Amino acid sequence: MKKFKKFYIEITSICNLACSFCPQTKRQAKFIKIDEFTKILDEIKPHTDFIYFHLKGEPLLHPKIDELLDLSHERGFKVNITSNGTLLHKAKDKIMGKPALRQMNFSLHSFDGHEGSVDKEGYVGSVLSFVKEAVATSELIVSLRLWNLDENNELNVERNRNKDILEQIEREFELDFRIQEKFTRGNGFKIAERVYLNHEVEFKWPDLKEEEDEGKGFCHALRNQAGILVDGTVVPCCLDGEGVINLGNVHQTPFSEIIEGERANRLYDGFSRREVVEELCRKCGFRQRFS
């Protein structure tokens, strides 16, 4: 039986922002229903212990995220949430202190990625205030993400993208050093107990319109991870945000059967041979990191 280190359950396809680095989904706007979510948890329980409340969409938009966390806890899952952090003022009481919540990742680069963002200091201050309270009152792990490096590994300082944010973090956590002088691309940089800062190259989603590579290489899809979109479509990884590699639907076929189906096995066996059988995978820059 396949076991996954990471399992992505998209609880909503809707986002409150329109960031330049995240293509807007063409799929139907939807929130997962409680009964659908419960059924998915029961089906994937033999396959994973860790679930992620996203693939696309903003998880904190879900009006019943507190119930989803409670259902996850009842079944023994640990939950990670990735959020832009702009809705903490509405969702804080629904997520704070939930025993299922293991880690929260805040995409601070969303501020500059969304045209029309205002009050950067207020936005970052709200996130950091939540972080400090959550870490002080629970075992929550936090990753503050600035995924907007250029390809030369330099911080994008045009338009002061990160300077103000980094200085505010330094003040809020009373750091006695400059973050910019110590960061290393791709590594979690500890700024406080269970609080980390992550710098990475600006993320690019794979797209069928992109150029294909040579079709050789490896990926952890269906080895370390799998995902289910909000409509029940099973996908092999967290990068298939449009369900291009549709392995089946959990509302029609049991999950355990889907991941042992013909298309899933062809993808899995292909990567075992270092052959890329799916077109989307041949157009995924992230996969090339493992080649």
Side-chain angles (χ1 to χ4, degrees), residues 141-201:
I141 301 167
V142 176
S143 172
L144 303 172
R145 293 178 171 178
L146 285 170
W147 286 7
N148 55 3
L149 294 175
D150 61 27
E151 290 296 336
N152 295 318
N153 301 349
E154 298 295 333
L155 282 170
N156 286 325
V157 293
E158 312 87 40
R159 300 184 295 139
N160 288 321
R161 268 188 172 182
N162 296 326
K163 181 174 178 292
D164 294 339
I165 292 177
L166 296 179
E167 289 179 351
Q168 190 168 351
I169 293 172
E170 290 164 0
R171 292 195 303 272
E172 291 285 346
F173 286 93
E174 299 180 346
L175 303 183
D176 58 1
F177 56 85
R178 299 295 302 277
I179 294 173
Q180 275 185 289
E181 297 172 358
K182 291 180 176 285
F183 88 91
T184 303
R185 173 191 164 189
N187 293 327
F189 181 81
K190 187 175 182 179
I191 59 176
E193 188 64 30
R194 286 178 280 113
V195 182
Y196 300 86
L197 180 67
N198 292 89
H199 294 86
E200 252 303 347
V201 171

Side-chain angles (χ1 to χ4, degrees), residues 11 59 63 78 88 94 112 114 131 139 148-149 162 175 234 238 264 276:
I11 63 173
K78 287 297 183 181
L88 283 171
K94 294 182 178 182
D112 285 305
H114 177 71
V131 169
E139 296 301 309
N148 55 3
L149 294 175
N162 296 326
L175 303 183
V234 177
C238 63
V276 187

Side-chain angles (χ1 to χ4, degrees), residues 67-170:
E67 293 183 44
L68 302 184
L69 286 167
D70 289 341
L71 287 166
S72 301
H73 178 63
E74 289 170 9
R75 286 158 176 77
F77 290 104
K78 287 297 183 181
V79 178
N80 289 17
I81 293 177
T82 296
S83 170
N84 58 46
T86 59
L87 300 174
L88 283 171
H89 61 292
K90 293 183 177 181
K92 174 185 171 182
D93 292 342
K94 294 182 178 182
I95 63 175
M96 183 74 78
K98 288 293 186 182
L101 189 55
R102 171 186 175 272
Q103 179 169 331
M104 286 206 67
N105 308 312
F106 290 105
S107 301
L108 299 183
H109 49 281
S110 298
F111 185 90
D112 285 305
H114 177 71
E115 185 177 351
S117 294
V118 295
D119 189 14
K120 180 184 288 187
E121 185 173 358
Y123 160 66
V124 176
S126 173
V127 172
L128 298 184
S129 175
F130 171 87
V131 169
K132 290 196 288 187
E133 181 178 349
V135 169
T137 57
S138 72
E139 296 301 309
L140 186 70
I141 301 167
V142 176
S143 172
L144 303 172
R145 293 178 171 178
L146 285 170
W147 286 7
N148 55 3
L149 294 175
D150 61 27
E151 290 296 336
N152 295 318
N153 301 349
E154 298 295 333
L155 282 170
N156 286 325
V157 293
E158 312 87 40
R159 300 184 295 139
N160 288 321
R161 268 188 172 182
N162 296 326
K163 181 174 178 292
D164 294 339
I165 292 177
L166 296 179
E167 289 179 351
Q168 190 168 351
I169 293 172
E170 290 164 0

Side-chain angles (χ1 to χ4, degrees), residues 43-80:
E43 288 206 17
I44 70 170
K45 181 56 185 172
H47 299 280
T48 192
D49 297 316
F50 297 95
I51 53 179
Y52 292 66
F53 278 6
H54 64 279
L55 211 138
K56 279 195 170 179
E58 168 51 53
L60 299 190
L61 270 174
H62 200 294
K64 296 183 178 180
I65 191 171
D66 49 346
E67 293 183 44
L68 302 184
L69 286 167
D70 289 341
L71 287 166
S72 301
H73 178 63
E74 289 170 9
R75 286 158 176 77
F77 290 104
K78 287 297 183 181
V79 178
N80 289 17

